[in-house]
Amino acid sequence: MKRWDECLAQSRDGLVYAWSWYLDVVHPDWEALVENDYEAVMPLTGNRKFGINYLFQPFFTQKFGVFSKKEVSEAKIREFLEAIPATFEFAEFRLNGVKGVKGINGVKGINHRNIELDLSPEYSVLAGNYNSNTKRNLAKAKKEGLTIVEDAKPSVIIELFRKNRGKDIKHWGDTEYERLLDLVETAKSHGRCLVLSAQNTDNQIVAGAFFMMSHNKIVFLFSGSDKSNKENHGLTFLLDYVIEKYSGTQNILDFEGSDNNGLARFYKGFGGEETTYAGIRFNKAKGLTKLALNIFKKT
């Protein structure tokens, strides 16, 4: 996949999720639309269920899109969307940006929210933009004597998540967690992943996180924290560490997962600003519309 990755490397709107090695982990059977000699590309992650071929957004990917060595126009995005094979009768996936979604017959575009933080200012400026709640929680974390461990053990962070918030996520099982571990290890081998943990004075890990790095974006992909130590505010401490570490650089901290109002408030507390990207949905299954809706809302 050398030419694929060369195209992505030169893309202005490139995303870590679209590297060939990333796709190989999150959806080994991925396909793609490719223009000419890899001048522009678009990943397609499909599956089949109850006789319906469909496109979906795999776990651990927020969005895909059209990636090109040149600037991607709205017309180009429409061209790619219209070129999706008719064998895919149903789709729910997300695109990088909101361009090119309107005006395509049968395709519905739904805007999603994201929170991002420009890290180019100096740390003193960035920290000064934290809201009062974030500043207060960060002060508590520092008072508790938390410290950061770089290159922490990914399996420990995943297990921390499973024992806490993961108990309420019934649709994740061993397969998903093993895939996440494989993804982190693969990304580390490509120099694209930062694994951090926060520990207390007893050397107990109270929070941990994975950050994917590509195209001047630092993506807050996954985190785990210990509910019994929530007053230590380990995640606030971790995010502040990343902000300080990469302050004054041309990076964007992408908080991801910001459709959730509570998470959006938490991320905005660090001075993050809202951006939007498009969700794509279409249903071409004749006579199976209702069944498809019921199926794919659970997928």
Side-chain angles (χ1 to χ4, degrees):
M1 298 304 293
K2 181 179 178 181
R3 284 184 294 171
W4 175 280
D5 286 337
E6 286 176 350
C7 177
L8 185 71
Q10 297 176 51
S11 172
R12 297 183 184 183
D13 299 318
L15 297 169
V16 68
Y17 319 111
W19 290 110
S20 62
W21 51 265
Y22 200 108
L23 290 163
D24 286 343
V25 175
V26 297
H27 192 67
D29 296 325
W30 66 280
E31 301 174 72
L33 296 174
V34 179
E35 181 180 57
N36 299 323
D37 188 20
Y38 290 85
E39 293 175 13
V41 300
M42 178 181 175
L44 296 178
T45 48
N47 212 333
R48 184 174 178 83
K49 190 172 184 179
F50 297 107
I52 297 175
N53 292 315
Y54 63 96
L55 293 172
F56 71 106
Q57 198 69 47
F59 284 131
F60 316 122
T61 66
Q62 185 189 56
K63 52 197 172 187
F64 291 135
V66 177
F67 307 104
S68 175
K69 301 173 184 179
K70 302 177 182 179
E71 184 174 355
V72 179
S73 65
E74 291 191 22
K76 181 62 65 179
I77 294 174
R78 285 196 296 271
E79 181 182 330
F80 268 78
L81 291 176
E82 290 170 347
I84 293 174
T87 51
F88 292 110
E89 301 168 273
F90 184 90
E92 275 193 345
F93 61 93
R94 300 184 292 275
L95 287 179
N96 186 12
V98 295
K99 297 185 298 183
V101 177
K102 295 181 179 179
I104 303 175
N105 188 35
V107 174
K108 184 178 181 181
I110 304 169
N111 284 353
H112 291 276
R113 175 177 57 194
N114 202 33
I115 308 297
E116 297 183 346
L117 177 63
D118 179 1
L119 295 175
S120 59
E122 295 300 316
Y123 175 69
S124 59
V125 175
L126 293 169
N129 289 331
Y130 293 175
N131 68 18
S132 58
N133 191 56
T134 300
K135 290 177 180 178
R136 182 166 54 251
N137 291 340
L138 181 59
K140 290 179 181 178
K142 291 179 177 179
K143 187 176 181 180
E144 291 292 332
L146 297 188
T147 55
I148 295 293
V149 176
E150 291 209 16
D151 200 24
K153 195 171 182 179
S155 59
V156 174
I157 295 171
I158 292 173
E159 189 61 25
L160 184 65
F161 177 88
R162 294 190 74 167
K163 289 181 177 179
N164 290 274
R165 184 166 174 262
K167 290 181 178 180
D168 300 322
I169 302 180
K170 306 302 182 184
H171 59 284
W172 281 23
D174 289 342
T175 298
E176 286 71 31
Y177 291 113
E178 288 168 5
R179 184 176 298 143
L180 175 58
L181 182 59
D182 186 14
L183 177 61
V184 171
E185 296 293 357
T186 302
K188 286 178 64 180
S189 73
H190 287 273
R192 298 287 180 181
C193 187
L194 179 66
V195 181
L196 300 175
S197 66
Q199 62 181 35
N200 60 21
T201 53
D202 294 324
N203 295 323
Q204 177 186 5
I205 293 178
V206 297
F210 306 145
F211 297 86
M212 293 292 175
M213 309 177 75
S214 184
H215 295 83
N216 296 118
K217 276 201 171 184
I218 302 170
V219 179
F220 182 33
L221 184 78
F222 178 88
S223 65
S225 58
D226 184 359
K227 288 183 178 179
S228 65
N229 281 284
K230 65 180 181 180
E231 292 304 316
N232 286 348
H233 300 286
L235 283 180
T236 298
F237 191 69
L238 271 173
L239 287 166
D240 173 73
Y241 177 85
V242 171
I243 291 168
E244 182 174 14
K245 181 180 178 70
Y246 292 97
S247 61
T249 69
Q250 298 305 307
N251 287 292
I252 299 291
L253 177 56
D254 181 344
F255 289 99
E256 221 197 38
S258 305
D259 276 336
N260 178 288
N261 290 330
L263 287 177
R265 283 193 299 271
F266 177 61
Y267 300 149
K268 284 183 177 181
F270 293 91
E273 297 183 356
E274 283 194 22
T275 62
T276 56
Y277 61 99
I280 300 296
R281 195 172 195 277
F282 65 72
N283 186 345
K284 302 175 183 178
K286 297 179 181 179
L288 294 175
T289 303
K290 185 175 181 179
L291 175 60
L293 287 171
N294 290 334
I295 294 171
F296 295 110
K297 282 181 180 178
K298 301 175 183 178
T299 301

